[in-house]
Amino acid sequence: MDNEFLDISTSLKLQLGYGIGHVLNDVCASLWFTYFLVYFHLVLEFTASQSGYLMLIGQIVDALSTPFVGYHSDHTDNSMSARYGRRKLWHFFGTLCVIISFPFIFSECISCSSTHKWAQMYYYAAFILIFQIGWAAVQISHLSLIPELADDAHVRTHLTAIRYGFTVFSNLFVYIITWAVFHFTGNCDKDQIGPNDVWKFREIMLIVIAVGTPASIFFHISIKEKPARYAIQNDTENTMTHCNLFKNIILYQVAGVYMSTRLVVNISQVLMPLYLHRTLGLAARSLAVVPLAMLLGSLIAAGVQRLTPRSITRKYTFLFGFIFSLCSYLWIYFGFDDNYKFYYIYVVAVFLGFGAAQMLVTSLSLTADLVGESTQASAFVYGLMSFTDKLSCGIAIAVIQIYADEAEATYYQYVLSIGCGAAAVMGLMFTLSLPNLTHNRITVGNIQSTDASDHETVPTGPDI
């Protein structure tokens, strides 16, 4: 076992400090993706298309923000970043944006709750814009710390799995809190979600903000960012590095894997509550318990990734997750009787959570492999990956919601099974098209990185 892997795997402070740094983003994202359409469509009574447009606005802002944040995070070089760390500086900026904007999204329009819905959209869009800029800054700065903290591909996979494990626990927390609020404040086993539940979502939002904020503070206290290990001499060389990035065909293949996987994960998370409410006609309790079952499957997947030996390539781990995801979508397509509604839906949720998580962790590991030792461009690479993810998800959800108002009850059943199933197949095709190269040989732009102090050999990682 490599010394580096031994040091990181036994450092509880590093694991806890790094993993907890994305908790605020995770709890907010859980509410955003799982309950945004539910809250705006079923509680605030926006139309399905209006709710979809608001989510599209957020996804577009997020998509445009991620490459911007990534580029400037790589280029940040001033006295403050030298003392505090360029990644942590952007993380701090994003955290402030999230804290000051998110509470207004999951609350009624202040002094305008009785105005026309189209007018209220401008109010919510302003806070969504601030929130998504902040969310992108936290996400990219946190992801780009992985190559900064570790050279070895297996160590990066370990840190990625830890990060995803905290994401799973954050989502579990949100769903448990949601279930508790619904359970102790009404008859959630019989009643469906409606306009009278607006205050419940406000209470859930305040709880998650109260938990996420101290977690971010702990991250900034416990993690000390190292100076950039690979120096870039001037702006011209900086520009060449990022321009040559686009000449690498593997960049587009990895982006295809990441985009497809995110479509599977995010659309499943967004549409599952609407599928439970509208297609299956289940009560409010299911909107917390079924996503909870999905997250239990994700937690199992994070543990499997942690124990995966080096001999297992990225392609095999992605294929493993794909099989579980495909089985769950086939079950959704054919399942409709009472046994399915009240019992088997939880098995489907576990399968779906496991498969999607397995594919997602693999896609994140592929992105870290793409960066390789060229950490001077890591944030920009993650920004490009996230750009494809956010834009494609926003467009897909908006298009789905446009046709939802007049559609039949089975609409979300077919969208989930066929749409997400097709995205999973697309992700598998992109993964299988990747060459069997080690992470050191798919360095961005095929540019050899230069260590600022030494020319040490970076350990070779496993095949893709």
Side-chain angles (χ1 to χ4, degrees), residues 90-145:
W90 280 95
H91 188 285
F92 180 74
F93 163 75
T95 299
L96 289 180
C97 290
V98 170
I99 292 173
I100 65 175
S101 61
F102 193 71
F104 294 95
I105 298 175
F106 278 88
S107 300
E108 286 185 291
C109 186
I110 299 176
S111 302
C112 58
S113 58
S114 59
T115 59
H116 195 277
K117 296 301 182 186
W118 283 104
Q120 292 185 43
M121 288 181 69
Y122 289 99
Y123 170 89
Y124 285 110
F127 291 108
I128 288 172
L129 186 148
I130 298 172
F131 165 67
Q132 291 292 0
I133 292 174
W135 201 95
V138 173
Q139 181 201 32
I140 296 305
S141 58
H142 193 258
L143 274 173
S144 57
L145 270 174

Side-chain angles (χ1 to χ4, degrees), residues 23 89 121 136 151 178 232 240 252 267 277 279 318 336 374 433:
V23 166
L89 196 61
M121 288 181 69
D151 292 327
T178 302
I232 297 178
M240 288 298 295
Y252 302 97
I267 294 181
H277 177 91
T279 303
F318 193 94
F336 203 82
S374 299
S433 71

Side-chain angles (χ1 to χ4, degrees), residues 238-254:
N238 239 337
T239 304
M240 288 298 295
T241 299
H242 291 91
C243 288
N244 280 307
L245 181 66
F246 294 101
K247 298 178 182 178
N248 191 345
I249 187 64
I250 299 179
L251 170 72
Y252 302 97
Q253 293 172 290
V254 174

